[in-house]
Amino acid sequence: MTVKDRQRKEKKVHIVQAAAKVFAQKGFSRTVMADIAVEAGIGKGTIYEYFDSKEDLFFAVFQWFVHKIGVETRVRVSALGGSASERLEALNDSLINSWLEMEELYTLIMEFWAASSSSQMKGKFKGAFREGYSEFRHIVSALIRDGIDRGEFRSDVDAESVAAALVGTWDALLLQAWFDDAFDPFATARSFMSALIGGLKKEW
Amino acid sequence: MTVKDRQRKEKKVHIVQAAAKVFAQKGFSRTVMADIAVEAGIGKGTIYEYFDSKEDLFFAVFQWFVHKIGVETRVRVSALGGSASERLEALNDSLINSWLEMEELYTLIMEFWAASSSSQMKGKFKGAFREGYSEFRHIVSALIRDGIDRGEFRSDVDAESVAAALVGTWDALLLQAWFDDAFDPFATARSFMSALIGGLKKEW
Amino acid sequence: MTVKDRQRKEKKVHIVQAAAKVFAQKGFSRTVMADIAVEAGIGKGTIYEYFDSKEDLFFAVFQWFVHKIGVETRVRVSALGGSASERLEALNDSLINSWLEMEELYTLIMEFWAASSSSQMKGKFKGAFREGYSEFRHIVSALIRDGIDRGEFRSDVDAESVAAALVGTWDALLLQAWFDDAFDPFATARSFMSALIGGLKKEW
Amino acid sequence: MTVKDRQRKEKKVHIVQAAAKVFAQKGFSRTVMADIAVEAGIGKGTIYEYFDSKEDLFFAVFQWFVHKIGVETRVRVSALGGSASERLEALNDSLINSWLEMEELYTLIMEFWAASSSSQMKGKFKGAFREGYSEFRHIVSALIRDGIDRGEFRSDVDAESVAAALVGTWDALLLQAWFDDAFDPFATARSFMSALIGGLKKEW
DNA sequence: CATGAATGAGGCTTCATTCAT
DNA sequence: GATGAATGAAGCCTCATTCAT
């Protein structure tokens, strides 16, 4: 039975990945179930053996995406070393880098945003987004608090707020890069980080 | 004839505003033309006297929105006074404030994002977004450069990058607030600004 | 406005009649909306301007049918004259006759029966059937009671029961005729009526 | 091999009974093969080892039903004793009784009726119905003819017609009871029978 | 100009049936 | 023989768009 369960799970993931690709290319409403079936190399009806509806599948793609990002980010963070400033800057580079590598998935995020505001499942989407952002903020704020604790950053810094802003900044720089090929999120982020870190550091 | 033209223009705007409301409530694809007609108090066919298609109307809503935001922001900025730091902080408050006031329109932006990545008109959407962001960055970077020129900010600050990051931060804090009712973008933004401005300022 | 309403009603009836024809030929589930549209000479989507769903249309056909039968029967009964026995026999002839004339609609009734037991709207179907039978029984029992009041029939006859049985008998003889081309509902009904009326009449 | 054949037959009957239950609950088209498999406690594919198609299975259910009714009725009739009148009345009670006991199967009959008028196999259904009714009429008419031969009933009574009508009456009273919970087929049938038998009996 | 009744292309979903295991 | 995962034909319904009034 466990073998069967595993196979079933693998097939679900297979479909989800095929769907992710098509959704990323065409967006949710312009995507047709038949396209996903073709992409996954299966019959149209088979999708419904694994997912209840198009929306259900879309949400599964969303969850898979959130999970994937979460795992990758945690791996990235755990690999960091050095002072808090160095780790922040390294995280900055690492994140921007990894996101630039999966540019083709930006569309998905925008579709997720739209789904979180107008889909019938908007509650579920919002909830998952909320948790994802929350987790990400905690990772970053822990890093900043660590800098404060070490005496590297000023003690009057509001770690939570700065973390929230940073998280948002990464988001938004990539968004601007998405709109503007001439925009260099990498350079922009570095310049910004150096200014921000200047503001965080203890003056003496 | 000019009178007629004016009337025509007014009716277009009327339809656009009605459409904006409905699109904001239901998103693009779940919105049906009939709803817009009802909201505008006109016949379904009349919409097609003013717009070529649903997408065309949606793009008109987008343009109207971008224009509206642009005007409001410029007005807001031109009203600022004081030192560069003070003006940045005032702009921060002002922007967050004004956006919180039109929460019901967030949905629209997310729909615009989605449209800019998957709609048939994605080129047009991306272009308008690019220009909007660019304009906004210029406004903010001018403010920062002014601070540098006045000797208030450090001369090695990259005004463009910081501006880009700030613009993105506002975007993204509001997004996080959209997902999480417990998230206070106002307080977060202020804390963050004070840290950032600390990093911008000349040490002496 | 009344003109428009009238036109709308006429079109509804037009669709109902087209649908009745197709449902009678193919039954409910083998009937395809497109067939009805073709039969009615309209577009597929137009049906949905007048009816919510296939089931809704089917129920409308049912109601139209019940109404039609009701009206025809009342007309038939009101035209009867003579003694109670004569009127019963005349009604017998008249009903069998009229039903034989619309043989092509038998299928509909059987579909209605099936719908009343397994359709999602079975409650509504059962209710309408109940009322239809009830009305029919009242008509016949009134006739029999009249015969009792006139002293033509025995006073210990249970008019309601006999009416119910008679109504059922007509139903069932036609059903048997439907199954068996060699079965003559006309002759059978007459023989039976004479025996039954013999049992109703006062002996003296 | 005979053992295997018997086992095969038993399994067929098992499936038929499971199918009968599901068809009775949901009707033909709303029934899905998977439900039947679950009810029978077997795999979906197994049904196709025993029956060619859904329609084929449905027809098998029909035949099983007709057979079952036929056997039960013959048993019932053979148990009757007394005068012809008494046997008719006893048969009346017995039939109504037994049908009331299997109310949950009425739905099946209505489905069979519908199938006999619109299914692809309507010829076969009609044929079986014809034979079933014919057999039933013969049973009843034999009873009546016996009454005539004994000098209990009038010799000018048309036994065939009265039998046909009686058979139909039972059918239709149960149908009316199906539609109307307040309708008492038992009492109605008895009152009717007494009137009818009065018309059959010799006056002297 | 304004309208809304009519349209039909198109998509999601169901489910009887097949067939590899 | 038994199974149930896979299939794809088929059908209901939606809705952007048209056009006669």
Side-chain angles (χ1 to χ4, degrees), chain A residues 40-114:
Chain A
I42 58 175
K44 221 182 331 156
T46 308
I47 300 175
Y48 287 88
E49 295 284 325
Y50 295 87
F51 301 94
D52 288 342
S53 66
K54 192 184 178 186
E55 277 223 319
D56 185 42
L57 172 57
F58 188 57
F59 188 69
V61 171
F62 176 54
Q63 285 180 307
W64 165 81
F65 189 82
V66 167
H67 178 72
K68 180 179 138 97
I69 298 297
V71 169
E72 289 181 1
T73 304
R74 275 187 295 273
V75 167
R76 220 166 285 279
V77 170
S78 68
L80 300 176
S83 70
S85 304
E86 283 164 348
R87 274 184 290 160
L88 265 185
E89 283 178 328
L91 181 59
N92 178 65
D93 282 11
S94 169
L95 285 175
I96 304 267
N97 235 341
S98 77
W99 278 92
L100 288 180
E101 274 166 15
M102 49 183 192
E103 201 188 336
E104 75 277 11
L105 292 181
Y106 284 23
T107 308
L108 268 180
I109 305 177
M110 307 208 200
E111 290 289 327
F112 294 148
W113 279 336

Side-chain angles (χ1 to χ4, degrees), chain C residues 24 29 31 55 66 68-69 71 79 90 93 107 171 194 204:
Chain C
S29 42
T31 291
E55 277 223 322
V66 167
K68 178 180 138 99
I69 297 299
V71 169
D93 284 10
T107 308
D171 239 35
S194 86
W204 69 104

Side-chain angles (χ1 to χ4, degrees), chain A residues 20 35 55 80 89 93 96 101-102 120 134 144 149 157 163 167 175 177-179 192 194 200:
Chain A
D35 292 345
E55 277 223 319
L80 300 176
E89 283 178 328
D93 282 11
I96 304 267
E101 274 166 15
M102 49 183 192
Q120 284 183 309
S134 173
I144 296 173
D149 293 344
V157 162
V167 164
L175 192 62
W178 161 257
F179 289 126
F192 173 73
S194 85
L200 297 178

Side-chain angles (χ1 to χ4, degrees), chain D residues 160-182:
Chain D
E160 292 301 329
S161 296
V162 173
L166 258 181
V167 165
T169 302
W170 285 318
D171 241 35
L173 288 183
L174 289 159
L175 192 62
Q176 289 176 63
W178 161 257
F179 289 125
D180 190 349
D181 289 337

